[in-house]
Structures are given as structure tokens and as C-alpha cells.
Amino acid sequence: QVQLVESGGRLVAPGDSLRLSCVGSGRDFSALSMGWFRQAPGKEREFVSAILWNGGRRFYTESVEGRFTISRDNAKNMVYLQMNSLKPEDTATYYCSAAKVLSLVYYSDYASYDYWGQGTQVTVSS
């Protein structure tokens, strides 16, 4: 079993930056591929970004490409999402997720992930 806990979400203004963190426990974190999803009110949960277990590949949804950066520190059991140039449409609850084996084809699929955190709220508003 894996426990994931997100932090770092808060209210920010458009154009600001924010870094989300996720700490994992309970299983060899370095063997897990990690992802970030988000869900806005009234919308389905959507893929944001993912990083393979060894950090060798990173994936982003088109709307955040060039603004968001995913990274991980396996020594600390941490994964991060650095978000720059935030927009009101980035407002959502952000969820950290972990996959025991992540498909390079279905990395953006919700069903590809085995473990989920409780989420952290990001609000972008002036």
C-alpha cells in the first residue's frame, strides 16, 4: 500500500507561480512512476503531468506545456509540480498519483494509476 499526501495549494493571482509537493510512504517510492491530475468543479479529473520512476521521461498535457515542470526526489520520497504563469483556468483540486507500472501509451489515463492522494486546492484569481 502507498500513501500520498499533497501540499502547497493556495490562492494565487494570475501570472504567479506555485509549487505543489507530494510525499509518498509505504512502498519503494523510487520504483513508482508518479503523476499529477486535476479536477475543477463540474469537470472530470484530467491529466496534468507524469514522470517515470527513474525521472527519465516526463509528460505534460498541452495546456500546461512550457509552464509546469514535474520533478522528483527519490531520496526524500517526494514529487513536485512547479507551476508558473498560472491562469484562472488552472484552478482545480490537484491530485498526486502513483503507478506501479506506467504505460508509455496510457500515462494520461486515470485508470493507469494505482494510488491517489486526497488533493490540494489551487485557486488562481485576482
Side-chain angles (χ1 to χ4, degrees):
Q1 192 66 18
V2 174
Q3 293 77 43
L4 301 173
V5 179
E6 306 93 336
S7 62
R10 61 182 177 90
L11 172 65
V12 296
D16 281 357
S17 296
L18 195 61
R19 189 177 80 159
L20 303 183
S21 301
C22 172
V23 60
S25 62
R27 183 187 167 110
D28 186 3
F29 183 85
S30 63
L32 298 170
S33 293
M34 303 298 295
W36 287 97
F37 285 71
R38 66 186 180 187
Q39 188 167 18
K43 295 187 177 181
E44 294 186 352
R45 193 170 297 191
E46 65 169 347
F47 170 78
V48 176
S49 183
I51 185 168
L52 293 187
W53 63 275
N54 61 358
R57 289 283 300 274
R58 307 180 191 195
F59 307 94
Y60 300 94
T61 191
E62 184 175 353
S63 63
V64 308
E65 187 81 51
R67 297 189 299 123
F68 291 11
T69 302
I70 191 170
S71 61
R72 66 187 298 160
D73 184 340
N74 286 343
K76 297 181 179 179
N77 285 9
M78 297 290 296
V79 63
Y80 307 99
L81 186 67
Q82 177 67 42
M83 304 186 294
N84 298 330
S85 302
L86 282 161
K87 304 175 181 180
E89 50 264 43
D90 295 318
T91 295
T93 300
Y94 283 71
Y95 297 91
C96 177
S97 57
K100 291 180 283 189
V101 179
L102 186 61
S103 164
L104 297 184
V105 175
Y106 299 108
Y107 59 84
S108 63
D109 191 332
Y110 176 96
S112 294
Y113 295 81
D114 302 290
Y115 308 104
W116 293 86
Q118 293 301 305
T120 186
Q121 177 67 37
V122 174
T123 302
V124 185
S125 175
S126 55

